[in-house]
Amino acid sequence: MKAPPLRLGVNIDHVATVRNARGGPHPDPIRAAHLAVLAGADGITAHLREDRRHIRDQDMERLKRQLFVPLNFEMAATSEMIALATALRPHASCLVPEKREERTTEGGLDIIGGHAHLRPAIQELKAAGIRVSLFVEPETEVMDAARDLGAPVVELHTGTYCEAVAAGDQAHVEHELERLRRAAAHGGGIGLEIHAGHGLALDSVRPVAAIPQIVELNIGHFLIGEAIFLGLDEAVRAMRSAMDEGRAQTE
Ligand code: PXP
C-alpha cells in the first residue's frame, strides 16, 4: 500500500503562553503561524481553553481571518466552545477532554464510557460545515465508538508512546507503537480519517509517521521549545524532514 501524504499541523498555543507571561502583544502567535506555514506546515492548530490560559478568542478570530491553510480549532465540547466554533467556522474542530487543573490534555476522550453529550456536539459542528475530530486513546473499540458517534476523524493520543520513548523503555515503546498501529489500521478500515499527536518530538516522530493510515500529525510544544534554539523556521523544517524520513519507511 502506498501511504497517502502526511500533513503537519503546527500547534501555536505555547507562543501565546510566552506572550501571556508579560501581558503584552509579544510574541504574537499569529506571526508564528505565518512563519510555520512558510516553513512547511500544512495547517495550524490552536486550543482555546475554558480558562484562556494561552490562546484567546481574538487569536482565533485573527487566525481565521488571516490564514490560507486549514485552521484546526481544538476545544472542549462545551456549549460555549460550540457556539464560538460554529460562529467562526474553522476548517476543523478537534474535541478534547479538558480539566481545569491539568497542565496539558492528559488523555483521550472517554467515548466508550460517557459519550452522550458528544453526539449533539458533533452533529452541531458538522451541520456548520466543520470537520470534527475526536482526540482519543489508540484502541480498536474506541475507533468503533467514534464511528458510531458520527465523527469523520479521530486523533490518536501519542502521549503514552512519547513518554515511553523519553524513558528509554524499548519494550514499552514497541507495545505503544503496536497499539497505535492496530488502532490506525482498524480505524482506517472502518472509514475514519486518522490523525495523531501529543508529545511528539524529533526522536519519536518517525515510527508514527510510518503508520500508513495516519494522514496528519499535530505537534506543538516540542517545536515551540526548539524554536528558542533553532528558530521556528528551522524547527518546523527539521520536523518535516523527520516525518518524511519516517513516511519513507512505510511498507
Ligand atoms: N493534539 C491534541 C489534541 C492536543 O491536545 C495537543 C496538545 O495541545 C497536541 C496535539 C500537541 O501536543 P504537543 O504540544 O505535546 O505537541
Side-chain angles (χ1 to χ4, degrees), residues 14-21 24-32:
H14 296 302
V15 180
T17 302
V18 177
R19 175 195 61 190
N20 297 354
H26 183 78
D28 178 13
I30 287 69
R31 182 176 168 201

Side-chain angles (χ1 to χ4, degrees), residues 123-187:
Q123 288 315 325
E124 213 175 317
L125 291 164
K126 280 170 69 176
I130 300 167
R131 200 152 168 82
V132 180
S133 101
L134 302 181
F135 188 47
V136 290
E137 294 299 320
E139 295 292 343
T140 53
E141 318 83 79
V142 175
M143 301 300 102
D144 293 328
R147 204 256 324 253
D148 292 346
L149 280 170
V153 185
V154 288
E155 181 164 324
L156 305 181
H157 197 308
T158 51
T160 313
Y161 157 71
C162 292
E163 280 166 20
V165 172
D169 181 345
Q170 204 44 45
H172 194 196
V173 167
E174 267 316 308
H175 173 81
E176 288 302 321
L177 272 176
E178 210 33 56
R179 278 177 80 212
L180 287 162
R181 291 185 190 116
R182 234 181 297 122
H186 186 75

Side-chain angles (χ1 to χ4, degrees), residues 11-167:
N11 179 316
I12 53 161
D13 292 351
H14 296 302
V15 180
T17 302
V18 177
R19 175 195 61 190
N20 297 354
R22 285 296 172 93
H26 183 78
D28 178 13
I30 287 69
R31 182 176 168 201
H34 289 307
L35 264 176
V37 171
L38 286 174
D42 301 290
I44 296 294
T45 297
H47 184 179
L48 186 66
R49 281 182 166 268
E50 183 197 13
D51 62 10
R52 310 303 198 265
R53 70 173 75 158
H54 37 58
I55 294 293
R56 296 172 177 157
D57 300 54
Q58 212 192 6
D59 297 324
M60 297 306 301
E61 285 154 22
R62 289 176 63 217
L63 286 167
K64 167 68 184 177
R65 259 201 321 273
Q66 293 187 27
L67 283 180
F68 293 105
V69 296
L71 171 62
N72 179 26
F73 186 152
E74 196 183 316
M75 56 186 250
T78 60
S79 47
E80 181 201 16
M81 288 300 153
I82 289 160
L84 286 169
T86 52
L88 193 73
R89 292 178 187 255
H91 168 77
S93 283
C94 179
L95 299 180
V96 300
E98 202 174 286
K99 292 189 225 112
R100 205 170 283 216
E101 328 72 53
E102 70 189 355
R103 266 182 297 193
T104 180
T105 314
E106 284 165 357
L109 287 163
D110 179 10
I111 57 173
I112 294 184
H115 55 60
H117 72 294
L118 284 177
R119 194 181 296 278
I122 293 167
Q123 288 315 325
E124 213 175 317
L125 291 164
K126 280 170 69 176
I130 300 167
R131 200 152 168 82
V132 180
S133 101
L134 302 181
F135 188 47
V136 290
E137 294 299 320
E139 295 292 343
T140 53
E141 318 83 79
V142 175
M143 301 300 102
D144 293 328
R147 204 256 324 253
D148 292 346
L149 280 170
V153 185
V154 288
E155 181 164 324
L156 305 181
H157 197 308
T158 51
T160 313
Y161 157 71
C162 292
E163 280 166 20
V165 172

